[in-house]
Amino acid sequence: MTIATLGILTSGGDCAGLNAVIRAATDAAVGRGWRVLGLRNGHLGLLANPPDILPLTADAVRGDLLRAGGTILGTTTKGDPFAFPDADGTKRDRSAEVLAAIRALGLDAIVVIGGDGSMRLFDRLLTPAGIPWVGVPKTIDNDVPGTEFAVGFFTAVEVVGQALDRLASTAASHRRIMVTEVMGRDSGYLALFGGIAGGADAILMPEFAYDLDAVAAHVRRVTHDRPSPVLVVVAEGIKRPAEERRLKGSVGTAITEGLQSRTGFDARCTVLGHVQRGGSPVMFDRLLGSAFGARAVHVLAAGESSRMVAWRGGLVTDIPMTEVTTGPSFVRADSQLMRTARRLGTYVGGAVTTS
């Protein structure tokens, strides 16, 4: 496989560290004498006429790009090319147009920076077409199978931890329960890591069933049944309490109201939302992005394709895409940090949920 022109794109939700990957992949590719084209707005840029591209050079990625949040290429979570929504509400397959644009641009290989959904999409799109590609995992949810950590995760953990630091002081001042809702639709990694780092008294995750009466009893126990500062972290993907399912508002608000009614303690909810995605990446995300971007180019130069770079056991490696396209990964009940949380006396729920 001879590569003269490399395409790079970001796909799915944004996070910190994406630009570090773009910088590293560009530098590594230019160092091999390859031309590099940034593909704007994920696959949507390839559906534009003409395709929306940004030529990338070593000079273009110098300076503060490593430190910058977001992605200079733009990204998208919409417009599945296999079922692309038209203005009239119908859907049609535009995947052939994406492939035609790739060939028209003369791209010999592509680096896809995305989450587990993006890996499945581009594996379905590129692998059957014989277009060489390598995936780079990124997500604040840290739920991409096959890698211990994904780009953007530790910056989001830092945001959650710092939020808990700030909420702890106001909780202490007013002797309140402070509930913090974090992202995590299917997986609770962000809630677990951020909750432990921020000293949470209870952490509720999608993977594990919880009993709000048991959470309230835990709160009363750790506070000796008198108003005291309490920190509770809630992943957005947990099930709402049964009695709260008809109420509007976030799941964090539902947990807050349920705890207040059960304990008699004043309670407040903070939904962190998109602040978890933005901002300058922490050092580990810069390191991870740099290592992943360089490795992706190395894999392609070695003639490999349909693989994803990964962090395993403190080493950067790469794995076949068949190990990645199995759906999101989940927090395991017997994982090291789950054991850590229990040893700390943190409420983390009970049996693993199956639905």
Side-chain angles (χ1 to χ4, degrees), residues 12-50:
D14 70 305
C15 63
L18 299 177
N19 287 322
V21 182
I22 295 167
R23 169 183 175 269
T26 299
D27 280 341
V30 170
R32 292 179 177 274
W34 301 353
R35 184 170 69 116
V36 183
L37 296 180
L39 311 176
R40 283 183 162 138
N41 303 318
H43 61 275
L44 294 183
L46 293 167
L47 288 172
N49 187 19

Side-chain angles (χ1 to χ4, degrees), residues 87-128:
D88 61 2
T90 62
K91 295 181 178 179
R92 60 191 172 104
D93 186 348
R94 299 187 64 185
S95 59
E97 295 176 53
V98 176
L99 296 175
I102 290 171
R103 296 186 176 105
L105 290 170
L107 300 179
D108 301 303
I110 298 177
V111 171
V112 174
I113 310 166
D116 70 296
S118 295
M119 297 303 160
R120 292 195 297 272
L121 171 64
F122 282 93
D123 188 53
R124 181 184 177 190
L125 181 69
L126 301 177
T127 301

